[in-house]
């Protein structure tokens, strides 16, 4: 009906046509609408007619209707629409041309992507492309050309892969446009080429670069050369990973053009350099080897041209820019220029700006050149802080800030242990340059230009973060600038906020004393900012004030500075904000924190103001929004050494705190427990028993294995109560203890929570409460294990629970030494009793072990025989527990037990393995001084056993050797090294494994020695024996994971051996006959697996030292290897997609093939269940890698990926697998990672 209505609208009233078209659009947007063939024709015909309507609004609506229509009509109708629009685009009427080009863009944006497998998109695109390339080629009307180029860019960026067959003709059509007389046409042609290079084939890319190179060499005119350089930069920005191989030819040409006297050309040259450095860099902090050789050259040019200002004389500076004279900039001289030369003609600033941007790109991608940067680049940048052009100065600041960011010490567990001197050299160099930086900046802090001042503060903030304390000597120079920016009426809000945040960093990173002379001038403007109407300024000012309070009167050291005069400035402004209820939440919270700090540090100067303020805190405690902050502040005040009188608010406050323990907010529970703990410790005299009971009733619910941290803090609070209020302990209801015992028997208990329980039991037994004495607690602890010896009851406990119970038993015994002989005796009887279950024996041995470690049990004569007898027990658990016991009892009495143990190891070959485990416990747990007299004997004994044929025994010997080496590394490490030349492969493998046990993730005295000789141990990666190579890889992996600094500098030598081990060795594959079947066994699989695990670890710890393309070659091979290796390489590929996306993009075609092969494998029909499961897991892992690849920006532009995606969507099995993977990854908070340590 609508069509009919509109078609009859030859009627003149345009508003009717407008309404009718609007209704049509509403209808088309509904999913439910279905058009038959006749209606389709009518609607299409009608809309195309309306596009020529005289009324502009009707035209606009008609264009909007095209979008939803594309998805509703058949393909040939879309083609009709496109044909008409393309014809209209060539029309003489400007309005019709414009509306048609908008129409085409609308149609293109609505076409289904190629990955859905729709043929329509391809056909329509081909139609449009043919018409557009014709229109662009004609060069008759520039505006037609511009529109056509615009639409072509749109289409290439969205559907480039679909136009595969047209790429060559598009290229031939675009290249001539680079010489168009109109700059706008050239610009759009460059944009279109940028989109083309993302999806075109290698041949077309090469054709394009060859053309550009040839034109650059010809250098017909400066104008076209500029365009070609812009084009090279444009391509590099869009598809930098492809231009790498052509850089060798491109860069020398661009370097040549830098020296041509044309400022615009120079600007484009530097922009091209910047795009190469930024776009081609492969990993997080490294640009690739293709540009490596050119970096010094490019940097030299940047440094030359960053000072290029031929038309301006900086203070009669000497003509040569290379001599950096430290001079101040007087701006008045600018006006002295001659009449015929105006500043508007001077575009040299563009050259300086592009050089600064290029330097920033180099700095942020080359962490490894940091020392060179501080030598050559830093002084030049500092000397250019006086730059007269504001925009250029901002970029120079930005480049220097990048340099400072690169200098920040890396905060991560990986590098924490790598506190090597190497990172300190750049920081020392920077330290020496700080006076120059301050000298160059401090005058600018008072300039009119807000942008300059903000740049200065950003730079100084970064500097104070990189080198805390470095500005201590320069505070007098900086304070006037800070005060000026805070008090200046013309300062914008952002200016004030930046100044305050710099002041905050400055106060946090420097000693309080350096500010004391300046408090008088700093405090008033900051306090004024607290009263500022803009909440962000108030919030930042409160943060600064809080830090200022700590500076005025530091509590952690004695200080002569008199804080009293400043209290009257600080207190009223903060109080006003604290009282206000109708302000931003952040301001409320910071006002509470700031006032808390004032009371904590200056409470003794507040006299009568203190109590009313504490009453306000009580109000804030009752408010749901501010309660968490208030609890933290009360904790702060309660722990103040000034002993602030909180008693008046405790009566009302304590029950409120108790009620918070019931709330569902975890942070609130934890903070409340901490607050209660401090209050009980410091205000015990003013707490009533009823108050404490109100808290006690809330505690049982908090002690649960579901949240170990909350449980730990709650138990620590109970311990405080047991020490401070022994009387209230009798009120500890059975339910609290029941929960604690349940926790002890939980398999999840370890670390902090276990230690908290041990402390609690020790405090509890010392309160001498009737129902909670030693024997009562012991009974409840061990009840589940002893319970009538029935199998069911003891089966329930996890192995970890036995260790927890044993530790608690030992703790109770050490608190009650009188009970020890009896309980030890009882355990010995338990072990001797043939009727005892193995669970009881395990507990007895573990408890003896825990007690023996800290007490001398030599009074018990039977112990040795009992333990040695247990070594013959049929139960593996009992044997292991007895071995653990012998080791730990020896720790408590080395003199008696260690010689005995060594004698037994020598004379009892059958028990050797268990005895060696005991020895391992001794070495791990004994203090180094105690062990020293026995080192020689142990060393000799271990070397007797290092050639044992049993691998398990060899591993224990290796662990003992490694841990023993830590006792006296300077002497023992060289001895281990000597053993590397041993003839026996078993001995060599033991020695290499021993080294693995000397590497820990914490800093140790052995580190420096290890660094010197780990290279010798890594040479075993080339050992002729397969097993030695495998353990060498395990040791290398451990070093890369726990202490990368040991191996970072050796990677160039080690990587070839590592990569060599990833290859399949045909000679190690053999056939084994199993009855009628033949089965292949690959003896090299374990070594290959170990090598790939090392490669994965290197990704996390030494990525910047890897040649990622070489690395990818081996990943590629691994994708076609055995099941285990493929599983590993899929995970590696997923990780690489995040870390080095552009390198992966370059290799995409080769990487996708093995993934496709895995995903489309079919298992033979008669296979066993395990085979199906294995294949299923492999497919899932491959699909995870595919999902990770799809997260790389621009990956969908790759034809290979687009084809694979459509294959996945069209195959129901693959599609459902892909969907389930995406659901899984959406629910996971972090990317997949695996720990190979």
């Amino acid at each position: 009906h609508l069509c009919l209505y509109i078609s009859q609208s030859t009627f003149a009233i345009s508003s009717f046509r407008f309404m009718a078209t609007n209704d049509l659009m509403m209808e088309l947007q509904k999913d439910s609408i279905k058009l038959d063939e006749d209606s389709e024709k009518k609607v299409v015909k009608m809309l195309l007619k309306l596009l020529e309507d005289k009324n502009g609004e009707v035209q606009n609506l008609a264009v909007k209707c095209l979008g939803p229509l594309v998805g509703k009509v058949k393909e040939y109708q879309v083609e009709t629409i496109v044909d008409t629009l393309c014809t209209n685009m060539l029309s003489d009427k400007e309005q019709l041309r414009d509306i048609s080009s908008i129409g085409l863009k609308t149609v293109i944006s609505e076409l289904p992507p190629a990955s859905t497998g729709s043929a329509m998109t391809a056909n329509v695109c081909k139609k449009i492309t043919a018409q557009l390339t014709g229109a662009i080629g004609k060069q008759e009307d520039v505006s037609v050309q511009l529109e056509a180029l615009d639409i072509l860019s749109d289409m290439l960026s969205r559907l480039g892969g679909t136009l595969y067959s047209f790429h060559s003709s598009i290229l031939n059509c675009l290249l001539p446009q680079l010489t168009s007389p109109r700059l706008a046409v050239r610009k759009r042609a460059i944009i279109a080429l940028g989109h083309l290079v993302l999806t075109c084939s290698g041949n077309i890319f090469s054709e394009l670069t060859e053309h550009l190179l040839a034109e650059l060499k010809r250098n017909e005119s400066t104008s076209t050369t500029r365009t070609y350089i812009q084009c090279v930069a444009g391509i590099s920005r869009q598809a930098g990973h492809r231009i790498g191989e052509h850089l060798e030819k491109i860069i020398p040409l661009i370097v040549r053009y830098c020296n041509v006297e044309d400022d615009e050309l120079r600007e484009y040259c530097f922009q091209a350099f910047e795009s190469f450095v930024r776009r081609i860099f492969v990993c997080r902090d490294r640009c690739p080897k293709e540009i490596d050789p050119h970096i010094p050259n490019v940097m030299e040019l940047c440094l030359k041209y960053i000072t290029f200002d031929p038309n301006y004389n900086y203070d009669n500076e000497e003509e040569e820019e290379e001599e950096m004279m430290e001079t101040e900039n007087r701006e008045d001289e600018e006006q002295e220029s001659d009449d015929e030369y105006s500043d508007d003609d001077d575009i040299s600033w563009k050259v300086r700006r592009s050089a600064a941007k290029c330097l920033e790109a180099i700095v942020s991608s080359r962490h490894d050149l940091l020392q060179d940067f501080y030598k050559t680049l830093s002084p030049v940048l500092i000397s250019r802080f006086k730059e007269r052009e504001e925009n250029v100065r901002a970029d120079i600041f930005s480049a220097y800030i990048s340099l400072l960011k690169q200098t920040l010490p890396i905060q991560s567990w990986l590098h924490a242990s790598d506190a090597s001197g190497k990172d300190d050299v750049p920081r020392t160099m920077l330290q020496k340059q700080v006076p120059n930086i301050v000298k160059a900046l401090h005058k600018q802090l008072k300039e009119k230009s807000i942008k300059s001042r903000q740049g200065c503060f950003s730079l100084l903030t970064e500097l104070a973060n990189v080198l805390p304390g470095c500005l201590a000597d320069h505070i007098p120079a900086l304070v006037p600038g800070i005060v000026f920016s805070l008090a200046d009426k013309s300062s914008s809000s952002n200016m004030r906020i930046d100044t305050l945040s710099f002041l905050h960093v400055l106060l946090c990173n420097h000693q309080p004393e350096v500010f004391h002379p300046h408090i008088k001038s700093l405090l008033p403007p900051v306090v004024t900012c607290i009263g500022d109407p803009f909440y962000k300024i108030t919030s930042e000012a409160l943060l600064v004030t809080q830090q200022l309070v700590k500076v005025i009167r530091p509590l952690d050291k004695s200080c002569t500075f008199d804080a009293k005069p400043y209290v009257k400035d600080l207190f009223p402004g903060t109080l006003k904000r604290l009282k206000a209820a109708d302000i931003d939440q952040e301001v409320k919270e910071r006002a509470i924190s700031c006032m808390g700090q004032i009371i904590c540090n200056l409470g003794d100067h507040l006299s009568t103001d203190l109590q009313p303020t504490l009453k306000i805190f009580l109000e804030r405690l009752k408010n749901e929004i501010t309660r968490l902050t208030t609890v933290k502040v009360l904790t702060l005040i309660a722990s103040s050494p000034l002993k602030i009188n909180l008693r008046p608010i405790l009566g009302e406050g304590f029950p409120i705190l108790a009620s918070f323990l019931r709330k569902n907010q975890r942070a609130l529970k934890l903070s409340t427990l901490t607050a209660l703990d401090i209050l009980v410790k410091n205000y015990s005299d003013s707490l009533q028993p009823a108050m404490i009971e109100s808290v006690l009733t809330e505690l049982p619910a908090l002690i649960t294995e579901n949240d170990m941290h909350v449980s730990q803090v709650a138990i620590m609070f109970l311990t405080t109560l047991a020490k401070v209020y022994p009387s209230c302990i009798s009120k500890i209801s059975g339910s609290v203890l029941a929960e604690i015992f349940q926790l002890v028997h939980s398999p999840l208990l370890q670390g902090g929570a276990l230690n908290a329980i041990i402390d609690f039991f020790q405090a509890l037994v010392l309160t001498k409460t009737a129902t909670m004495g030693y024997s009562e607690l012991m009974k409840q602890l061990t009840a589940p294990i002893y319970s009538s010896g029935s199998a069911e009851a003891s089966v329930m406990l996890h192995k970890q629970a036995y260790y927890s119970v044993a530790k608690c038993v030992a703790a109770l015994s050490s608190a009650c030494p009188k009970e020890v002989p009896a309980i030890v005796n009882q355990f010995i009887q338990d072990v001797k009793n043939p009727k005892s279950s193995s669970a009881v024996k395990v507990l007895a041995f573990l408890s003896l072990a825990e007690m023996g470690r800290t007490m001398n049990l030599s009074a018990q004569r039977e112990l040795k025989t009992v333990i040695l007898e247990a070594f013959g027990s049929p139960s593996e658990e009992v044997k292991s527990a007895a071995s653990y016991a012998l080791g730990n009892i020896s720790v408590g009495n080395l003199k008696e037990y260690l010689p005995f143990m060594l004698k037994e190891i020598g004379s009892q070959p059958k028990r050797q393995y268990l005895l060696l485990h005991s020895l391992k416990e001794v070495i791990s747990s004994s203090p180094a001084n105690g062990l020293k007299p026995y080192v020689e004997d142990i060393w000799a004994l271990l070397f007797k056993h290092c050639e044992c044929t049993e691998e398990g025994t060899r591993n224990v010997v290796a662990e003992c050797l490694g841990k023993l080496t830590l006792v006296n590394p300077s002497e023992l490490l060289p001895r281990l090294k000597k053993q590397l030349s041993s003839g026996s492969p078993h001995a060599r493998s033991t020695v290499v494994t021993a080294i693995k046990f000397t590497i820990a993730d914490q800093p140790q005295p052995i580190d420096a020695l290890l660094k010197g000789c780990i290279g010798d141990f890594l040479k075993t990666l080339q050992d002729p024996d397969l097993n030695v190579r495998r353990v060498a890889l395990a040791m290398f992996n451990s070093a890369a994971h726990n202490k990368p600094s040991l191996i970072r500098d050796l990677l160039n030598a080690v990587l070839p051996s590592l990569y060599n081990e990833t290859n399949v060795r045909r000679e190690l594959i053999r056939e084994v006959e199993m009855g009628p079947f033949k089965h292949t066994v690959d003896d090299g699989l374990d070594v290959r697996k170990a090598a790939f695990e090392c490669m994965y670890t290197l990704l996390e710890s030494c990525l910047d030292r890897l040649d990622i393309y070489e690395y990818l070659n081996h990943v590629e091979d691994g994708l076609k290897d055995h099941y285990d290796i493929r599983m590993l390489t899929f995970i590696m590929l997923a990780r690489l997609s995040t870390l080095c996306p552009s390198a992966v993009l370059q290799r995409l075609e080769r990487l996708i093939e093995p993934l496709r092969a895995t995903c489309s494998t079919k298992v033979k029909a008669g296979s066993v269940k395990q085979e199906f499961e294995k294949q299923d897991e492999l497919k899932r892992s491959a699909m995870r890698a595919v999902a990770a690849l799809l997260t790389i920006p621009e990956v969908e532009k790759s034809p290979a990926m687009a084809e694979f995606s459509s294959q996945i969507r069209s195959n129901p099995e693959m599609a459902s697998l892909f969907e389930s993977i995406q659901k899984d990854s959406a629910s996971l908070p972090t990317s997949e990672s695996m720990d190979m340590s």
Side-chain angles (χ1 to χ4, degrees), residues 441-668:
L441 293 182
H442 79 97
K443 286 264 179 70
Q444 294 190 31
L445 290 177
K446 285 193 161 184
E447 272 192 12
K448 284 194 198 76
S449 157
I450 285 181
K451 193 173 180 184
S452 285
R453 279 189 278 158
Q454 280 180 304
C456 291
F457 281 129
S458 302
L459 197 152
L460 288 166
T461 307
E462 204 60 53
L463 181 63
N465 280 326
V466 174
L467 284 179
C470 70
L471 295 170
D473 302 339
H474 308 286
I475 303 289
L478 298 173
V479 167
I482 294 171
V483 174
F484 172 74
S485 278
L486 290 179
D488 180 27
K489 293 281 180 286
S490 64
S491 284
S492 64
S493 304
N494 283 348
M495 181 72 254
R496 285 204 178 97
I497 291 169
D498 286 356
T499 312
L500 286 165
S501 71
F502 164 61
L503 182 53
H504 184 246
V505 170
L506 198 63
L507 291 167
C508 291
N509 285 343
H510 291 74
Q511 291 302 318
E513 301 78 57
V514 297
F515 299 104
H516 287 162
H518 309 285
I519 295 290
K520 202 169 185 175
S521 50
L522 275 176
L523 198 57
V526 173
V527 172
T528 314
C529 286
I530 294 181
D532 197 280
F534 184 38
Y535 76 95
K536 283 195 171 168
I537 293 181
T538 310
S539 165
E540 203 63 44
L542 283 164
L543 207 56
V544 172
T545 310
Q546 188 176 345
Q547 199 57 38
L548 267 172
V549 173
K550 294 184 196 170
V551 166
I552 291 172
R553 188 174 184 188
L555 293 175
D556 49 356
K557 50 182 163 183
S558 60
C559 169
T560 52
F561 184 71
D562 180 18
K564 196 163 188 189
Y566 301 105
V567 176
K568 62 179 190 304
D569 292 335
L570 288 163
F571 184 77
T574 312
L575 183 66
K576 188 179 168 196
R577 287 298 182 194
L578 180 67
K579 282 179 172 169
D582 54 347
I583 48 173
D584 183 79
Q585 187 188 340
E586 189 179 84
V587 177
K588 276 184 191 168
E589 288 178 356
R590 287 191 175 171
I592 293 170
S593 302
C594 183
M595 185 54 91
Q597 200 71 55
I598 292 174
I599 295 176
C600 172
N601 289 46
L602 304 165
D604 50 349
H605 295 318
L606 293 177
S607 62
T608 54
D609 289 326
L610 178 62
Q611 291 313 320
T613 314
L614 291 176
K615 286 276 189 287
I616 301 175
F617 281 149
L618 205 51
E619 291 308 308
R620 296 286 170 268
L621 202 55
K622 295 171 186 168
N623 181 327
E624 194 173 332
I625 292 174
T626 51
R627 63 190 182 192
L628 179 58
T629 315
T630 315
V631 171
K632 289 179 178 169
V633 163
L634 284 175
T635 312
L636 179 72
I637 297 173
S639 53
S640 165
L642 302 178
K643 306 256 182 296
I644 307 295
N645 180 13
L646 285 175
R647 288 165 186 78
I649 62 162
L650 285 183
E652 197 179 336
F654 220 78
I656 298 175
L657 289 173
S659 71
F660 289 167
L661 297 177
R662 237 174 291 151
K663 300 285 184 262
N664 211 2
Q665 195 181 349
R666 184 169 184 266
L668 183 66

Side-chain angles (χ1 to χ4, degrees), residues 1-4 24 28 33-49 65-66 68-81 120:
H1 295 304
L2 278 169
C3 294
L4 189 64
L24 176 64
L28 286 172
I33 187 169
K34 296 277 185 287
L35 297 172
D36 57 35
E37 205 159 326
D38 200 32
S39 314
E40 274 184 24
K41 265 188 196 157
K42 283 181 187 163
V43 174
V44 170
K45 190 176 169 194
M46 212 49 254
L47 277 178
L48 292 173
K49 192 172 171 193
C65 290
L66 287 176
L69 187 67
V70 169
K72 303 268 191 306
V73 297
K74 293 195 177 54
E75 188 179 321
Y76 72 92
Q77 295 291 5
V78 180
E79 289 182 19
T80 312
I81 295 174
M120 171 169 93

Side-chain angles (χ1 to χ4, degrees), residues 240 331 1066:
E331 293 187 0
R1066 294 272 160 247

